Amino acid sequence: MPRGQKKEEILRSELPPTLPLMALRSTIVFPLGTIAVQMGAPENLALLRQHEESGLIVALVVAGSDLEDPIDPRSFVGKVGVAARVHERINLPGDTVQITLQGLRRITLEDIEQVQPFAVARVQGARETPPDPAELDELVARTVAAAETLAELIERIPAEVPQILKMNVSDPGRFADLAATNMNLRIADKEEVLQRLDIGQRIRFILSRLEREVARARVMEDVKKQTEVKIEEHQREFYLRQQLRAIQSELGEADPNEKESVDLLRRIDEAQLPEKVAQEARRETERLRMLSPASSEYQVLRTYLDTLLALPWHARSANDAEISLEKVEAALGDRHYGLDEAKERIVEYLAVRKLRGGDPNGPILCFAGPPGTGKTSLGKAIAKSIGREFYRISVGGVRDEAEIRGHRRTYVGAMPGMLLQALRRVQVKDPVIMIDEIDKMGNGGASGDPTAAMLEVLDPSQNDSFVDHYLNLPFDLSSVLFICTANNLHDIPPALRDRLEVIRIAGYTIEEKVEIAERYLMPRLLADHGLDPIDISLPDAVLGHITARYSREAGLRTFERSLASILRKRARAKADGDTSTWVIDVARVEQILGAPRYAVEEAEKEPEVGAVTGLAWTNTGGELMTIEALRMPGSGKLTVTGQLGGVMRESVDAAYSFVRSRAATLGIEEVEFREADLHLHFPAGAIPKDGPSAGIAVTLALASALSRRPVRRDVALTGEVTLRGKVLEIGGVKEKVLAAYRAGLREVILPKANEKDLRDVPAEVRAGMAFTFASGMDEVLRLALLSDAPAVPADRADDDGDLLTLPFDDASRGTRSERRRERVQQ
């Protein structure tokens, strides 16, 4: 049959019931189309060798698998293919045959009758569904428009393709096949076109693909135009710059780039930089001179030189020899009430620096204490008193070493570390730099260990040649007065903690908070809320009630927020026209702040069996910790709850063993340990607890529960206990004693080895409390474990002197009933 025969004759021609199957991987020929294909697959070559006659008709299908994957002919059953006639065979090198295929019509593969050496399929002519005439014209018009747009935007699509499509709009099926053939669709899309027998759906599918390609081509065209514009702008700028240089050269004017380099060299000479720093600056300036201002390296070098020249290499704010200790004491006293020990240590530290002529080889101060106790403001007061600039760096949460040492210049957006940035802002080399929250720095990871980088910064013997990664030059930090703050010293690595002179700030008593409120807080809060002193009156008793019942903490922040809440109510009333003076009493406080958050006093409760008031140390100061023990019938099991750590659990085991060894002395029958269960609980179960200092409290609670004898609740106690009943030294005495004092307790039992730590407790607290020092657990049991009647033992002194009671200022302490009355009045 000739290649130019008409479509009607091709479609009316009868097809054999079986046809050899030829699978094409990268292309397909549609009906009435012609294509040249090179055959190299073994099954296709076997088919062509066996049928060498002219006009061979084959069944074409699309094999979607990779070239290396074998083809399963049975997978094509039920799919649509194309019956095609083979023309013009040409043998090529490499066992390859090029043939020309002419598509005849769509066929459906019903079954595979032969697989080897090539597949033979039983086929039937496919019946196509004509499109809906109502929507055909619109689909065709949109398809032609998309083809015209693509022909304009994409060079590989011939310009005559839209005209070819217009010439075949009368035959929708042929129109769709021509569009799929000439618009360079992917082979998967061509197969989808082949499979669709509904001509309307076939055209819609082609239209969706063409419109998607139009959108993509327009984006690419826009990007191409923008790129060309930028290239043209750069070329234009370069050309104009060359012209400008030529004009300036003819006029005898200097090159702007050269002028900038000369200006930098002048600034380097005027800055009187250290020798090595000046050499590096000049070398980088010469490099800058050789670069074009449009170069990215030019901007990096210029930023580096600006940073280097902005640092205070010689500028000073004060001379250490001129430190006035009287001025320091006055400044600390004006801004802080109490904290006598901390103030004394600060003055001593500055006195040493003054006598040594500003010699920096001394320790670094570290204020350690709970939040809200004035650590940061102490640093500001020091800077003000010695006439230096102050800058605060918060390192809480810093996890990257580069935050301290800076980034190397090879990184995009590199900058110096926190320290050099601080010096650049204050513009002096001897400021007071406060490193806040040093205990909350990250402890290493993929980005390095910032605490290790701090070792060089805070070592006076090393920081005179601190090298920042960005600067890559030594900078002298020895003139900087570093002051650190921390809440928990245990979170600071030992090597870093060894470089710090720790000044502990335990917290404030109720009396101190009241005085601070009158001197500092109320004047500032009144100004912040737009009030005058005559607008509101807060007596001392009310201030004491607020701090005792609403803000029982070591610091002042909750206390300050409570006062601010009251002042906001007064400000609202004044804004509404109320000009009277508010006199705040306890009832008004509870009306504004709500019900009190804390009980009046733990000591007012009656003695209980199995309940002991212990003392604990936390990051926010000391806290009371009630330990509860409960006895119940059982089999001798001991249950411990309250989210305890390993050390505290071992302390519980040691306490239980000691109580069992003293069963006869305590009047506990041996059968109790076999027929009774004990449950020991530490309230606030959501908070982790650990440490051995609750040992004597745990022992006392177990002894009380097993002996059924009540425990005094007006006494707080702390100390570690051994299996032999020895009471060992513990830490945090000052914080724990202040916690007991804030809670209204006036008697505390401490280990005898901690007697020396009482000097850290404020004098007014010592004067209002009684301290008992015990070296053995037997003394603690005799003192705190009552008989059936809750009477306090008359004789609290031990014959061998192991038990020591120090009633500081007995006259001021008075009897127990008098002390209770005093506390109620407070």
Side-chain angles (χ1 to χ4, degrees), residues 663-664 666-675 706-708:
L666 295 170
I668 304 172
E669 298 292 338
E670 185 64 28
V671 69
E672 295 284 345
F673 296 99
R674 297 192 303 269
E675 298 181 357
L706 289 170
S707 65
R708 300 178 178 84

Side-chain angles (χ1 to χ4, degrees), residues 167-272:
M167 295 172 62
N168 290 270
V169 294
S170 59
D171 187 350
R174 176 62 175 160
F175 173 85
D177 292 343
L178 284 173
T181 302
N182 293 283
M183 297 309 297
N184 292 324
L185 299 182
R186 295 179 300 175
I187 184 62
D189 294 336
K190 290 183 177 181
E191 183 186 11
E192 184 67 24
V193 172
L194 180 64
Q195 299 297 320
R196 292 179 184 263
L197 298 178
D198 188 322
I199 298 177
Q201 293 183 2
R202 190 186 307 170
I203 298 177
R204 273 193 292 271
F205 176 79
I206 294 174
L207 178 61
S208 66
R209 292 299 183 267
L210 294 183
E211 289 181 342
R212 184 180 66 181
E213 290 297 322
V214 167
R216 183 181 302 171
R218 283 175 175 167
V219 171
M220 295 300 296
E221 183 69 16
D222 292 342
V223 172
K224 180 181 177 181
K225 289 181 179 179
Q226 292 176 5
T227 304
E228 291 176 350
V229 168
K230 289 182 179 180
I231 293 175
E232 291 176 358
E233 288 179 353
H234 287 165
Q235 291 176 344
R236 178 174 176 273
E237 182 181 354
F238 176 78
Y239 176 72
L240 292 176
R241 287 186 181 278
Q242 294 298 323
Q243 284 187 329
L244 180 60
R245 289 182 179 179
I247 295 172
Q248 289 174 340
S249 177
E250 291 294 331
L251 295 176
E253 296 180 356
D255 184 5
N257 192 17
E258 181 69 21
K259 182 179 180 181
E260 190 172 6
S261 300
V262 171
D263 182 63
L264 284 173
L265 290 174
R266 178 186 57 79
R267 291 172 57 192
I268 292 171
D269 293 335
E270 292 176 353
Q272 297 181 356

Side-chain angles (χ1 to χ4, degrees), residues 277-290:
V277 177
Q279 290 178 358
E280 180 69 14
R282 293 189 181 95
R283 188 176 69 85
E284 295 294 339
T285 304
E286 293 299 327
R287 288 184 57 201
L288 185 72
R289 179 180 290 176
M290 304 300 296

Side-chain angles (χ1 to χ4, degrees), residues 11 14 34 42 140 155 160 184 248 250 253 291 323 433-434 444 534 610 680 686 690 699 706 754 757 765 767:
L11 294 179
E14 294 293 333
T34 304
V140 170
E155 296 180 356
E160 59 270 13
N184 292 324
Q248 289 174 340
E250 291 294 331
E253 296 180 356
L291 294 174
I323 293 177
I433 292 183
M434 172 160 283
I534 62 173
L680 190 68
D690 204 359
T699 306
L706 289 170
N754 286 112
D757 297 320
V765 176

Side-chain angles (χ1 to χ4, degrees), residues 389-410:
E389 297 289 336
F390 177 83
Y391 194 86
R392 186 182 72 89
I393 298 175
S394 180
V395 295
V398 171
R399 299 178 179 273
D400 191 351
E401 178 197 8
E403 296 288 338
I404 307 300
R405 291 187 178 274
H407 302 80
R408 300 189 186 277
R409 279 190 289 159
T410 53

